[in-house]
Amino acid sequence: MTDQQLDYARKVSAELTAAGWRVELDERNEKLGYKIREAQLAKIPYALIIGDKEVAAETVAPRRRGGENLAPLSLGDFIQRLKFEVAQERGEA
């Protein structure tokens, strides 16, 4: 992870936290595949992958716990998706 990616990842983390979501930013110098595998084993619902493309486009690339890669989304769209999924689980949508 480069400094540019890390700065953007910290911004994304701060915005998600401010929106009321629990966030854990993995800043370790490990390979991406290793980090993804650890997130799956920890049963983390979403891992947000942030690379050069995401930084340039100011998007996030969500990956669901089951391994499903979602299309890159703006952070605002991702937050709306999370809110919709929570509302569905609660039977509000």
Side-chain angles (χ1 to χ4, degrees), residues 24 26 28 30 32-44:
E24 182 178 321
D26 190 346
R28 295 174 302 155
E30 296 287 348
L32 180 61
Y34 180 79
K35 291 180 181 184
I36 290 171
R37 178 73 177 138
E38 279 195 332
Q40 287 177 330
L41 291 174
K43 298 186 178 182
I44 295 172

Side-chain angles (χ1 to χ4, degrees), residues 2-86:
T2 67
D3 287 339
Q4 184 181 13
Q5 292 165 336
L6 188 54
D7 289 342
Y8 181 65
R10 286 178 178 151
K11 177 185 169 194
V12 168
S13 176
E15 287 184 34
L16 285 167
T17 301
W21 302 101
R22 282 184 287 160
V23 178
E24 182 178 321
L25 178 59
D26 190 346
E27 297 184 28
R28 295 174 302 155
N29 189 18
E30 296 287 348
K31 292 184 179 181
L32 180 61
Y34 180 79
K35 291 180 181 184
I36 290 171
R37 178 73 177 138
E38 279 195 332
Q40 287 177 330
L41 291 174
K43 298 186 178 182
I44 295 172
Y46 281 100
L48 298 181
I49 311 303
I50 297 175
D52 289 336
K53 291 179 189 175
E54 289 76 24
V55 172
E58 293 193 2
T59 59
V60 293
R63 180 181 174 97
R64 291 185 71 103
R65 177 176 55 217
E68 175 189 2
N69 290 321
L70 303 176
L73 302 164
S74 71
L75 185 56
D77 289 344
F78 179 67
I79 290 172
Q80 289 304 316
R81 180 187 179 104
L82 291 176
K83 288 179 181 178
F84 179 75
E85 287 182 11
V86 169

